[in-house]
Amino acid sequence: MTASNEAASGMTVPNLASSDMGGVDRIEKSIDIAAPPERVFALVSEPGWFINDGEYRAHEIDRDGDVSLVHDPVHGDFGILTVALEAPRLAVFRWVGEGAGSTLLEFSVEESDGGSRLRVVETGFASLPGSDADRRAALEGNSQGWDIELEVARTVCESAA
C-alpha cells in the first residue's frame, strides 16, 4: 500500500519486526473507524470475531473459564484463550489447541478524530512449529488476512446503530 493509499483508507502498513528465526515475528496494523471506542471494543472483545471470510458472522461460543471454543460454520472449531480484557481499550487473546503453535493477538482501541483507531498486533510466529519458510508463510498469510479483518471491523462498527 502506498502512503497516499494508506491515508485514503485509514489503514497503516504492517510493522514486520525481525526475530531470531532469521525472519519476522510481528504483524502490526491499524485502521480508523467512524464509531466510538465502546462500539469497537464490543466487537473486538468477542473471541474469534476475526474468523470469517471477509464478512462478519456471529459464532457459537462455548466458554470454560478464560478459554473459549469458537464454532465457525465454515472453518470449524478454534480454541482461544482470553488473556486480558480492559474495556474499552484492550483485548488480548492467544490461540490454543493441539500442536499448532500459538500466536498472541492484541487489539487496542483508542479515540481518534471523533471515532476510533483499532490496532492489531500479532506476535509469536518465531515459536510456531515447522521451518522458517513455514513460519514466514504463516506470517505473510496472517498479514494479508488482517487487512481483510480490519475492514470487516470497520464495516460492522460503522453500520451498527
Side-chain angles (χ1 to χ4, degrees):
M1 179 179 296
T2 66
S4 61
N5 288 341
E6 177 183 325
S9 73
M11 186 177 295
T12 61
V13 294
N15 173 5
L16 303 177
S18 295
S19 74
D20 291 323
M21 73 178 186
V24 291
D25 192 45
R26 177 185 183 93
I27 299 168
E28 182 174 343
K29 296 189 178 202
S30 65
I31 193 168
D32 292 324
I33 299 174
E38 295 78 13
R39 187 180 308 158
V40 177
F41 183 80
L43 175 68
V44 302
S45 63
E46 175 190 317
W49 71 269
F50 43 84
I51 302 170
N52 58 61
D53 295 315
E55 184 175 326
Y56 177 79
R57 63 180 161 266
H59 295 108
E60 179 183 331
I61 301 174
D62 294 320
R63 290 180 167 84
D64 184 6
D66 291 337
V67 176
S68 298
L69 184 59
V70 178
H71 305 280
D72 183 88
V74 175
H75 299 291
D77 297 338
F78 297 87
I80 299 176
L81 170 68
T82 299
V83 176
L85 292 176
E86 298 174 14
R89 303 285 179 230
L90 181 69
V92 183
F93 301 103
R94 180 174 291 284
W95 295 102
V96 295
E98 295 182 27
S102 177
T103 58
L104 186 70
L105 306 170
E106 300 176 56
F107 300 99
S108 61
V109 182
E110 63 184 49
E111 193 168 342
S112 174
D113 295 326
S116 302
R117 174 162 292 148
L118 170 60
R119 182 173 66 124
V120 60
V121 176
E122 185 173 12
T123 58
F125 292 92
S127 68
L128 296 178
S131 68
D132 282 354
D134 292 337
R135 290 186 286 274
R136 182 174 293 283
L139 181 132
E140 289 173 357
N142 286 20
S143 182
Q144 292 172 359
W146 285 121
D147 292 337
I148 295 166
E149 300 315 328
L150 290 176
E151 287 294 341
V152 168
R154 178 165 36 200
T155 299
V156 169
C157 293
E158 288 182 354
S159 66

